[in-house]
């Protein structure tokens, strides 16, 4: 992204491409994703607009494009920019704006402002991450400054039912209501009258949606399967890596705790020691557990993985394939050692891949094991002596309860 990009050329190519893609996206959203919504919005020609949306599924951009009459430039994590050809197509033909995850990215901000100045439309997921346990992510207050500088129309868009239908740990789709709402629209003359705190509250209140509190049911005979991609501590015996899922049940192989994941996304168990009602309760319990854990010498976690160098805009290179071991000081990949103190940031991609940064390099860890849990590693990175913990750079995956 060293070359100066021509925003007007990008927007022209984008209009041509979206003309062909939108009918396909409409078919995909209706027939395959079972998304239904009549709440569309007609944007005026040459009117700059910022769309802020919650982030429920991997397909959000497809769904949002079908709800508006004009092309939209989406802001996406730079981790999706894999290889020069694909990266060029994403940015210069579809208008996707790359952003470094977890930080204020000046280059991304400038591209957003230039796109809006050229009368384009930009869509941002201000929470910065896709939901795991169905709660509101932290929203960086810098979004308010960006909105005020652009003077663009502000559209608050809310997906409803994506978490229930396509949970981040999913194996199979759940059948249930999946729709969207244009929650609120504000012109610059309206939000200029609001304080930063008032505007931030309006944004949060209008994009927030909890599927578990909607009263909707999400049907699947295998709805609990792959929950161990998110849950790794048994609340009954306090053992790690003993949870297994099958059909609608999640159970512990050590103490035989049996938990059912209900159609309304609540949790239940006949075990009198189990008191969690929703996944957020288990999520916060795991944070407390890791935070208070006494770490000793030896291996904390180990998994069979593939390690790749995954720098944005470059082709990914495989560095190692085999057993990965986490100790309190190191990530070990055979003879290759990464010291934890050098890890500046880490995140999860699509629920099953772990990406972390050391110096200027991004490393991607994936596993052939479809039940691989990358979350436990990030929680440990925020427990142990890492640069990301020292700089408090992680807001979502840190060990503070939500």
């Amino acid at each position: 992204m060293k070359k100066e990009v021509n925003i007007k050329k990008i927007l022209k190519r984008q209009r041509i491409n979206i003309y062909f893609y939108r009918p396909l996206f409409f078919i995909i959203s209706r027939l395959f994703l079972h998304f239904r919504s009549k709440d569309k919005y007609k944007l005026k020609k040459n009117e700059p607009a910022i769309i802020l949306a919650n982030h429920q599924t991997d397909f959000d951009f497809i769904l949002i494009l079908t709800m508006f009459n004009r092309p939209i430039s989406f802001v996406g994590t730079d981790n999706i920019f894999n290889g020069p050809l694909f990266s060029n197509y994403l940015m210069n033909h579809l208008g996707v704006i790359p952003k470094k995850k977890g930080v204020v990215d000046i280059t991304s901000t400038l591209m957003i402002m230039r796109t809006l100045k050229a009368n384009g439309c930009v869509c941002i997921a201000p929470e910065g991450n896709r939901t795991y346990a169905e709660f509101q992510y932290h929203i960086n207050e810098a979004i308010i400054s960006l909105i005020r500088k652009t003077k663009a129309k502000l559209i608050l868009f809310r997906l409803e039912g994506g978490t229930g239908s396509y949970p981040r740990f999913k194996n199979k789709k759940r059948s249930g209501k999946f729709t969207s709402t244009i929650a609120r629209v504000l012109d610059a003359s309206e939000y200029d009258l609001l304080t930063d705190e008032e505007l931030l509250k309006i944004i949060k209140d209008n994009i927030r949606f909890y599927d578990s509190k909607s009263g909707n049911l999400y049907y699947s005979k295998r709805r609990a399967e792959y929950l161990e991609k998110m849950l790794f501590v048994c609340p009954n015996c306090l053992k790690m890596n003993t949870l297994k899922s099958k059909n609608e049940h999640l159970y512990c192989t050590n103490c035989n705790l049996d938990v059912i994941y209900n159609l309304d996304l609540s949790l239940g168990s006949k075990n009198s020691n189990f008191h969690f009602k929703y996944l957020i309760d288990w999520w916060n319990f795991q944070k407390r557990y890791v935070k208070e854990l006494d770490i000793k010498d030896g291996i904390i976690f180990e998994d069979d993985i593939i390690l790749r160098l995954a720098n944005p805009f470059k082709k990914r290179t495989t560095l190692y394939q085999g057993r990965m071991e986490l100790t309190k000081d190191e990530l070990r990949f055979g003879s290759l050692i990464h010291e934890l103190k050098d890890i500046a940031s880490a995140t999860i991609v699509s629920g099953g891949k772990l990406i972390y940064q050391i110096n200027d390099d991004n490393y991607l860890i994936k596993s052939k094991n479809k039940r691989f849990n990358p979350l436990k590693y990030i929680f440990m990175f925020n427990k142990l002596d890492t640069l990301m913990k020292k700089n408090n750079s992680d807001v979502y995956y840190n060990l503070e309860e939500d």
Side-chain angles (χ1 to χ4, degrees):
M1 228 172 54
K2 293 180 180 179
K3 290 172 63 177
E4 184 74 10
V5 295
N6 189 318
I7 295 296
K8 290 185 177 180
K9 280 188 177 181
I10 291 176
L11 293 179
K12 184 176 180 179
R13 294 187 195 122
Q14 184 190 55
R15 284 194 294 271
I16 296 170
N17 279 285
I18 295 303
Y19 177 81
F20 291 102
Y21 280 126
R22 184 176 277 116
L24 175 63
F25 289 164
F26 184 85
I27 293 170
I28 292 172
S29 68
R30 298 317 191 257
L31 296 184
F32 297 99
L33 303 179
H34 304 288
F35 174 75
R36 299 287 186 276
S37 181
K38 295 181 180 179
D39 201 4
K40 296 185 179 181
Y41 190 84
K42 191 170 183 179
L43 290 158
K44 295 178 182 178
K45 187 178 180 180
N46 295 326
E47 180 181 43
I50 297 177
I51 302 166
L52 299 186
N54 57 339
H55 192 4
Q56 286 198 331
T57 78
D58 288 336
F59 319 108
D60 290 357
F61 75 100
I62 292 177
L63 309 175
I64 294 172
L65 274 172
T66 65
M67 293 292 100
F68 293 88
N69 62 316
R70 286 174 54 195
I72 299 169
S73 297
F74 289 86
V75 178
T77 173
D78 60 5
N79 294 322
I80 67 174
F81 288 78
N82 177 18
L85 292 178
F86 181 64
S87 299
N88 175 68
Y89 187 74
L90 277 181
M91 190 166 69
N92 293 314
H93 292 266
L94 295 184
V96 180
I97 299 172
K99 180 187 181 303
K100 294 178 181 177
K101 212 170 185 76
V103 298
V104 176
D105 188 337
I106 301 300
T107 303
S108 173
T109 301
L110 290 174
M111 283 192 68
I112 291 170
M113 295 184 72
R114 289 176 61 199
T115 300
L116 292 168
K117 188 175 181 180
N119 298 323
C121 301
V122 175
C123 182
I124 305 170
E127 298 161 309
N129 215 318
R130 184 183 164 194
T131 182
Y132 256 108
E134 201 188 29
F135 58 91
Q136 184 73 16
Y137 289 104
H138 168 81
I139 295 179
N140 194 313
E141 291 79 2
I143 193 70
I144 303 299
S145 176
L146 175 64
I147 294 168
R148 294 197 188 282
K149 286 178 181 177
T150 63
K151 298 292 183 181
K153 174 163 287 192
L154 177 62
I155 302 171
L156 303 180
F157 181 90
R158 186 172 67 236
L159 286 164
E160 303 173 359
T163 303
S165 300
Y166 297 94
R168 197 166 181 181
F169 59 83
K170 73 179 185 301
N171 174 30
K172 299 291 183 180
K173 180 195 178 300
R174 284 86 171 126
S175 177
K177 186 177 181 181
F178 186 20
T179 187
S180 67
T181 297
I182 305 293
R184 190 161 176 181
V185 180
L186 294 95
D187 292 318
S189 60
E190 296 176 87
Y191 58 69
D192 279 347
L193 298 176
L194 302 170
T195 66
D196 289 357
E197 293 76 15
E198 289 171 335
L199 182 54
L200 185 61
K201 185 177 187 301
I202 287 173
I203 292 170
K204 288 182 177 181
D205 289 347
N206 281 278
I207 69 171
R208 179 188 294 122
F209 191 81
Y210 300 116
D211 291 355
S212 61
K213 297 181 181 180
S214 66
N216 297 324
L217 302 180
Y218 297 90
Y219 295 89
S220 172
K221 293 181 180 179
R222 303 168 65 178
R223 58 185 176 271
E225 289 195 358
Y226 289 57
L227 258 172
E228 62 267 48
K229 289 172 66 175
M230 166 186 166
L231 304 174
F232 61 96
V233 183
C234 173
N236 189 52
C237 66
L238 303 182
K239 296 292 185 181
M240 293 192 291
N241 302 322
T242 60
L243 297 174
K244 302 293 180 183
S245 62
K246 186 175 182 181
N247 299 328
E248 68 270 28
H249 294 271
L250 183 70
Y251 61 93
C252 176
T253 58
N254 183 65
C255 69
N256 296 319
L257 171 71
D258 189 348
V259 177
I260 186 170
Y261 191 43
N262 295 308
L263 295 173
D264 63 357
L265 309 185
S266 66
L267 302 170
S269 177
K270 293 180 180 179
N271 189 307
S272 60
N273 293 324
F274 185 82
H275 303 293
F276 302 154
K277 187 174 182 181
Y278 297 111
L279 290 178
I280 181 63
D281 302 320
W282 207 322
W283 172 276
N284 281 326
F285 159 75
Q286 289 189 151
K287 284 192 171 186
R288 289 195 303 271
Y289 180 86
V290 172
K291 191 174 184 178
E292 297 167 4
L293 189 63
D294 182 21
I295 302 295
K296 296 180 173 59
D297 291 334
I299 297 171
I300 303 170
F301 298 131
E302 55 183 335
D303 286 281
D304 290 320
I305 59 90
I306 300 168
L307 175 69
R308 292 193 172 111
L309 184 64
N311 289 329
F313 314 105
K314 296 181 180 179
K315 187 176 180 180
R316 292 175 180 175
T317 306
T318 299
L319 301 177
Y320 174 82
Q321 184 168 347
R323 200 71 170 167
M324 171 181 68
E325 298 174 346
L326 172 69
T327 70
K328 66 179 184 180
D329 300 308
E330 300 171 334
L331 266 177
R332 299 173 180 168
F333 308 93
S335 60
L336 176 63
I337 304 294
H338 285 168
E339 295 189 20
L340 297 189
K341 66 180 179 63
D342 296 328
I343 296 178
S345 66
T347 192
I348 296 172
V349 178
S350 298
K353 301 172 186 175
L354 171 65
I355 287 185
Y356 62 95
Q357 183 181 28
I358 295 178
N359 297 322
D360 293 325
D361 287 325
N362 287 356
Y363 297 92
L364 182 145
I365 293 170
K366 63 178 294 185
S367 175
K368 293 181 179 179
N369 176 10
K370 293 182 179 180
R371 298 172 189 259
F372 170 65
N373 184 321
L375 183 65
K376 61 188 181 184
Y377 287 93
I378 293 195
F379 279 178
M380 276 301 168
F381 292 166
N382 279 303
K383 160 80 173 179
L384 301 169
D385 183 23
T386 60
L387 187 59
M388 62 185 278
K389 178 187 176 183
K390 180 181 178 181
N391 293 338
N392 195 27
S393 58
D394 187 358
V395 178
Y396 175 49
Y397 295 112
N398 67 21
L399 300 182
E400 299 304 317
E401 293 184 39
D402 300 287

